[in-house]
Amino acid sequence: MEAALLLGVMLVLLALGIPIAFSIGLSSALFILVTGLTKLVVIPQRIIVGADSFVFLAIPLFTLSGYLMESGGLSKRLVSFVEKACGNFPGSMGTITIICCTIFAALTGSGPATVAAIGGIMIPSMLKAGYSKETSAGIVAAGGALGPIVPPSVTMIIYGAALDLSIPDMFMASIIPGLFIALILIIVNTVQALKRGIKGSGIKYTSKEKWQAFYHAIGVLFLPVIILGGIYGGIFTPTEAAAVACVYTVILGIVYKELTIKSLIVALKKTVVTSAMVVTIIAVSNIFSFLLASAKIPQMIAEAVLPIVSTKNMYLLVLMLILFVVGCLMDTCPAILILGPILVPIGIELGVNPLHLGVIYCINLVVGFITPPFGINLFTAASTAGVTFAQVVKGILPYLIAAIACVMVLAYCEPLVTFLPNPVSYT
């Protein structure tokens, strides 16, 4: 009854179009008034506690570094290098786009920022190469979904902090899945290009041109080495790495003479809007998690579900089906903070590796970035490419199917996720 009251009221408020943070807060307040479980003064207390975390400082900092790369012209240097290095073959422009999205994702951890930065440069190039507008937008949206998978990932920072899992371990565990999904997307693009007769650019670059492109992009390419090398080398924490990324990106923008005061202000404004939304949801969700734990709702749900979902493999299948639906309807942040405390303990009870479960949970939700009707990458790609939402959906379908298949493989092949973190622990 208590679970139905708390979750039911929140779902009704969400269905009425009330913002997620307010829906969580109002349902929590009503739950306290009806059940008398605690006092209302707990609400502001838990909001403050929820936001007061050193780990969460990484969210605005990594977000800012992404917007600085977008506005500071660093993405152009990256695209130029990959374009000259990857050669000339069927569907090369689509492949270059996916590779650029993968590298850019490793620098920013942001899906929409990756779509905007790489899409603005590569979509015109793909159109010249013979791609349709809808396919071009679909490729960019799919590539942008790698942002929250390839480390550093804001999604995994939220999951690790909320469910007490090592964030460096999650970053390490997500490297192989991120590269695996990128490889599958490249294969799908190549097959599609061969079917449609899309050839390469036809331009042959000399060794000198390739070297010059590498020289101009070396500062950008060195950033993931600094971020990930610093984290795994024990030099700094993920939060400190985010601060280093911001400072380094600003320095690069100044050195390359492409970061202006105006573009810096624009990046700061975008960061404030994006981060304020995420952190507010995190803070308010702390009330929700507290009430779930106090009323022992996760335990009650687990006791009801375990007899039905009695095996690890069955649990993973049900979890993926739930998260595929949730991911296309709800943002990753509330999906982790609301559903995580309910769904994750059941998997751990059934013997699922917590690290494997955490990475699969996040990747499942990230697929929602490119799943209709509310995939944020789809809207960003539509805006960047100047096409309708329906056209983007049509263009992304082959890549969406491939992404879902990849998640299924990763869910049932645990070593692909846990192989890298196993040799040494970063907890």
Side-chain angles (χ1 to χ4, degrees), residues 7 10 159 162-163 288-289 292-293 296-306 309 311-312 314-327 330-354 356-358 360-362 364-365:
L7 298 172
M10 185 191 67
Y159 184 98
L163 294 161
F288 192 82
S289 300
L292 285 175
K296 298 182 179 179
I297 291 174
Q299 292 93 319
M300 290 188 291
I301 294 175
E303 289 173 3
V305 171
L306 282 174
V309 184
T311 67
K312 183 166 69 172
M314 179 61 72
Y315 165 79
L316 288 172
L317 178 61
V318 173
L319 177 72
M320 286 187 290
L321 292 174
I322 291 172
L323 294 181
F324 281 142
V325 174
V326 169
M330 186 184 293
D331 192 19
T332 54
C333 178
I336 291 171
L337 298 170
I338 295 171
L339 297 179
I342 298 172
L343 299 175
V344 171
I346 299 173
I348 294 175
E349 183 74 20
L350 289 168
V352 182
N353 183 312
H356 179 226
L357 177 56
I360 293 301
Y361 192 107
C362 292
N364 265 261
L365 291 177

Side-chain angles (χ1 to χ4, degrees), residues 17-35:
I18 295 175
I20 292 172
F22 291 106
S23 296
I24 296 171
L26 290 171
S27 60
S28 299
L30 181 62
F31 180 81
I32 292 172
L33 289 172
V34 173
T35 63

Side-chain angles (χ1 to χ4, degrees), residues 90-112:
S92 59
M93 280 301 162
T95 298
I96 289 167
T97 300
I98 294 168
I99 293 173
C100 287
C101 285
T102 305
I103 298 174
F104 197 84
L107 304 176
T108 67
S110 171

Side-chain angles (χ1 to χ4, degrees), residues 23-383:
S23 296
I24 296 171
L26 290 171
S27 60
S28 299
L30 181 62
F31 180 81
I32 292 172
L33 289 172
V34 173
T35 63
L37 183 66
T38 185
K39 296 181 180 180
L40 286 174
V41 72
V42 167
I43 293 179
Q45 290 174 345
R46 300 309 302 185
I47 288 176
I48 293 172
V49 171
D52 186 17
S53 173
F54 178 71
V55 173
F56 291 143
L57 282 174
I59 296 172
L61 291 173
F62 273 129
T63 303
L64 176 59
S65 67
Y67 285 128
L68 286 172
M69 286 197 67
E70 177 189 345
S71 58
L74 303 186
S75 54
K76 295 178 183 178
R77 293 171 179 266
L78 174 64
V79 170
S80 176
F81 165 68
V82 174
E83 185 176 350
K84 290 178 173 62
C86 285
N88 180 31
F89 50 88
S92 59
M93 280 301 162
T95 298
I96 289 167
T97 300
I98 294 168
I99 293 173
C100 287
C101 285
T102 305
I103 298 174
F104 197 84
L107 304 176
T108 67
S110 171
T114 302
V115 172
I118 303 301
I121 302 169
M122 289 307 303
I123 287 176
S125 298
M126 283 191 283
L127 292 176
K128 289 180 182 177
Y131 285 90
S132 65
K133 278 191 174 183
E134 56 194 33
T135 302
S136 301
I139 291 173
V140 172
L146 295 166
I149 298 175
V150 180
S153 165
V154 171
T155 301
M156 293 186 184
I157 290 172
I158 294 171
Y159 184 98
L163 294 161
D164 196 25
L165 195 61
S166 167
I167 295 171
D169 271 357
M170 290 195 72
F171 282 0
M172 181 65 81
S174 65
I175 292 175
I176 291 178
L179 295 177
F180 172 64
I181 295 174
L183 175 61
I184 297 302
L185 293 180
I186 288 172
I187 292 173
V188 172
N189 164 69
T190 304
V191 171
Q192 294 285 317
L194 289 171
K195 282 184 179 180
R196 298 173 184 175
I198 299 174
K199 300 180 180 179
S201 62
I203 302 174
K204 292 184 178 181
Y205 297 100
T206 64
S207 298
K208 182 180 179 181
E209 289 175 319
K210 292 178 181 179
W211 169 251
Q212 287 177 338
F214 173 74
Y215 176 76
H216 288 138
I218 191 169
V220 183
L221 296 171
F222 194 58
L223 182 53
V225 177
I226 294 175
I227 295 174
L228 301 180
I231 292 174
Y232 302 130
I235 300 172
F236 39 66
T237 66
T239 303
E240 292 165 345
V244 170
C246 286
V247 174
Y248 184 80
T249 306
V250 169
I251 292 173
L252 277 185
I254 293 173
V255 170
Y256 292 152
K257 298 180 180 179
E258 293 179 352
L259 182 65
T260 64
I261 296 296
K262 183 179 179 180
S263 61
L264 176 62
I265 292 173
V266 170
L268 288 169
K269 285 181 178 179
K270 288 182 178 180
T271 301
V272 169
V273 173
T274 303
S275 303
M277 176 182 65
V278 173
V279 175
T280 300
I281 293 172
I282 290 173
V284 177
S285 294
N286 190 263
I287 309 166
F288 192 82
S289 300
F290 172 77
L291 293 177
L292 285 175
S294 299
K296 298 182 179 179
I297 291 174
Q299 292 93 319
M300 290 188 291
I301 294 175
E303 289 173 3
V305 171
L306 282 174
I308 302 171
V309 184
S310 55
T311 67
K312 183 166 69 172
N313 288 338
M314 179 61 72
Y315 165 79
L316 288 172
L317 178 61
V318 173
L319 177 72
M320 286 187 290
L321 292 174
I322 291 172
L323 294 181
F324 281 142
V325 174
V326 169
C328 69
L329 299 175
M330 186 184 293
D331 192 19
T332 54
C333 178
I336 291 171
L337 298 170
I338 295 171
L339 297 179
I342 298 172
L343 299 175
V344 171
I346 299 173
I348 294 175
E349 183 74 20
L350 289 168
V352 182
N353 183 312
L355 181 59
H356 179 226
L357 177 56
V359 173
I360 293 301
Y361 192 107
C362 292
I363 294 176
N364 265 261
L365 291 177
V366 166
V367 173
F369 276 44
I370 55 175
T371 305
F374 300 116
I376 188 171
N377 278 16
L378 302 179
F379 290 104
T380 308
S383 175

